[in-house]
């Protein structure tokens, strides 16, 4: 009796495992199967990965490559030589790429918002029809509704956006911009051509940045600002035309700067931009003095000084104006 019962239990376990295996295989096959709505137009030469969902009224061009597990919502379009990485979501009305020479490469886990236009021809009048132009976007970016991101203006350049950026509604990133990682751009932030934005910056709404400006890491751009010159690292600017308004203290705290690091940056900022009332030294002299004090050190103060110095290099625009408050 006991032996028969044991054999029966074994048969039940084997049957259960077989059913589970069949169910898992079926789920895997279902996940691997791409769905293309009958009302979508997908060119037969397009490369479509596994588990892709393409909704009604979408178009996918001949040179497009769609990564695994991507979702193209109704009425979205992938055109030209465009590569879309795995697990991207393209919402209704968005347009990726363009049927012009060059390439648009979009990494993994990106969300492209409703009616965003990404990877199209730039608006630079110096662009010559027929030239190759490029856009490269990293991973884990959220590009919200009605944003526009343009390709480069020349074949030797590339518009670049890094990883983990939040680009809110109606922002514009023009040709040849280079955007780093972990940035937050609020609605209607507008970057003209060739702007460089480092990492962990934050803009408030309706910010306008002049072409060729550099925005340093951990800086904050106040709402409605017009940025016509560089913003050094760790600083806060606001106004039309924007002026330095001190350190981005809240941003530094949120990004894990210690109290001691913040005190060192504040002391350095005051030394350069807020001289004592009896000081007769010029801005250049105060900056040189600070450089001598931090020579060969690898601190945030040295990075701040480096950022300021680089802004006065050849082809750069200098830094935003500052008020000479006395202490």
């Amino acid at each position: 009796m006991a032996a028969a019962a044991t054999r029966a239990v074994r048969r039940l376990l084997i049957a259960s495992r077989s059913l589970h295996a069949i169910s898992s295989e079926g789920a895997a096959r279902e996940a691997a199967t791409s769905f293309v709505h009958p009302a979508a137009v997908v060119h037969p030469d397009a490369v479509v990965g596994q588990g892709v969902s393409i909704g009604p009224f979408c178009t996918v061009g001949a040179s497009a490559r769609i990564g695994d597990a991507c979702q193209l919502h109704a009425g979205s379009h992938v055109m030209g030589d465009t590569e879309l990485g795995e697990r991207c979501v393209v919402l209704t009305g968005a347009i990726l790429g363009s049927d012009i020479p060059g390439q648009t490469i979009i990494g993994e886990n990106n969300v492209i918002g409703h009616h965003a236009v990404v990877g199209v021809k730039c608006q630079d009048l110096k662009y010559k029809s027929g030239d190759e132009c490029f856009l490269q976007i990293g991973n884990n970016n959220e590009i919200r509704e009605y944003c526009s991101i343009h390709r480069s203006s020349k074949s030797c350049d590339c518009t670049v956006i890094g990883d983990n950026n939040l680009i809110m509604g109606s922002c514009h990133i023009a040709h040849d911009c280079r955007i780093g990682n972990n940035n937050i751009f609020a609605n209607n932030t507008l970057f003209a051509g060739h702007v460089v934005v480092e990492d962990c910056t934050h803009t408030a709404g309706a910010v306008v940045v002049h072409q060729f400006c550099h925005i340093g890491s951990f800086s904050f751009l106040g709402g409605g600002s017009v940025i016509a010159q560089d913003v050094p690292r760790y600083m806060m600017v606001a106004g039309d035309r924007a002026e330095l308004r001190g350190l981005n203290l809240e941003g530094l705290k949120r990004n894990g700067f210690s109290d001691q690091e913040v005190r060192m940056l504040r002391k350095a900022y005051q030394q350069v931009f807020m001289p004592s009332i009896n000081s007769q030294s010029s801005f250049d002299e105060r900056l040189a003095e600070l450089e001598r004090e931090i020579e060969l050190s690898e601190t945030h103060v040295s990075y701040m000084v480096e950022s300021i110095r680089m802004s006065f290099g050849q082809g750069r625009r200098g830094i935003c104006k500052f008020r000479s408050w006395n202490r």
Side-chain angles (χ1 to χ4, degrees):
M1 288 285 291
T6 301
R7 285 195 296 271
V9 170
R10 285 177 179 170
R11 284 196 296 270
L12 285 171
L13 286 172
I14 293 170
S16 175
R17 288 170 182 167
S18 298
L19 287 171
H20 179 72
I22 292 169
S23 175
S24 298
E25 290 173 5
R29 282 195 299 271
E30 185 177 347
T33 301
S34 293
F35 169 77
V36 180
H37 193 279
V41 179
V42 179
H43 195 281
D45 292 338
V47 178
V48 178
Q50 297 182 337
V52 173
S53 173
I54 301 178
F57 312 114
C58 294
T59 59
V60 179
S63 301
R65 296 174 298 284
I66 311 298
D68 295 345
C70 285
Q71 300 177 37
L72 273 61
H73 288 222
S76 57
H77 308 278
V78 183
M79 307 167 63
D81 187 355
T82 299
E83 180 178 327
L84 191 62
E86 297 180 0
R87 298 177 300 279
C88 288
V89 178
V90 184
L91 298 177
T92 296
I95 299 174
L96 308 184
S98 179
D99 289 318
I100 57 175
Q103 189 177 44
T104 297
I105 299 177
I106 300 174
E108 300 177 355
N109 297 310
N110 293 293
V111 177
I112 313 297
H114 298 87
H115 302 282
V117 179
V118 178
V120 297
K121 186 180 77 170
C122 70
Q123 298 173 150
D124 188 350
L125 296 178
K126 296 188 295 296
Y127 172 76
K128 297 179 180 178
S129 180
D131 281 358
E132 289 188 324
C133 48
F134 302 94
L135 167 65
Q136 184 167 346
I137 297 176
N139 304 322
N140 307 310
N141 297 288
E142 185 171 4
I143 300 169
R144 294 298 300 265
E145 59 276 4
Y146 296 101
C147 287
S148 56
I149 302 176
H150 292 173
R151 291 201 215 171
S152 61
S153 60
K154 294 182 290 186
S155 59
C156 59
D157 286 324
C158 182
T159 305
V160 177
I161 297 175
D163 303 330
N164 304 305
N165 296 292
L166 171 57
I167 304 173
M168 298 187 194
S170 301
C171 288
H172 174 65
I173 299 177
H175 59 90
D176 308 297
C177 285
R178 304 187 76 86
I179 310 297
N181 307 315
N182 303 301
N183 296 291
I184 300 175
F185 304 144
N187 300 67
N188 295 294
T189 294
L190 310 178
F191 294 108
H194 302 276
V195 168
V196 175
V197 181
E198 296 181 359
D199 302 327
C200 303
T201 69
H202 192 166
T203 73
V207 168
V208 179
V209 183
H210 192 281
Q211 61 184 355
F212 292 101
C213 285
H214 286 229
I215 310 300
S217 296
F218 304 101
S219 58
F220 180 84
L221 282 54
S225 297
V226 177
I227 313 298
Q229 293 177 286
D230 292 358
V231 179
R233 293 168 186 158
Y234 316 117
M235 297 189 189
M236 178 170 57
V237 299
D240 174 21
R241 300 296 198 241
E243 297 178 342
L244 298 182
R245 300 297 175 91
L247 294 176
N248 178 23
L249 296 175
E250 186 62 33
L252 297 178
K253 293 176 184 176
R254 290 182 181 182
N255 283 282
F257 282 64
S258 68
D259 291 342
Q260 182 180 0
E261 288 171 330
V262 172
R263 282 195 297 269
M264 292 174 63
L265 284 169
R266 179 179 279 175
K267 180 181 177 182
Y269 182 92
Q270 291 174 343
Q271 182 175 338
V272 175
F273 297 106
M274 300 172 63
S276 65
I277 196 168
N278 297 320
S279 175
Q280 300 296 319
S281 60
S282 66
F283 170 79
D284 287 333
E285 290 170 342
R286 295 192 299 272
L287 186 60
E289 181 183 354
L290 180 59
E291 284 179 308
R292 288 192 295 272
E293 292 177 4
I294 62 168
E295 188 176 7
L296 301 180
S297 66
E298 288 287 335
T299 65
H300 292 295
V301 174
S302 66
Y303 302 145
M304 183 183 79
V305 172
E306 178 188 40
S307 178
I308 296 170
R309 278 295 184 203
M310 290 175 61
S311 293
F312 292 98
Q314 186 174 4
R316 298 284 291 271
R317 300 182 59 81
I319 65 172
C320 289
K321 297 296 185 290
F322 58 93
R323 299 178 183 179
S324 295
W325 289 303
N326 296 119
R327 289 180 285 154

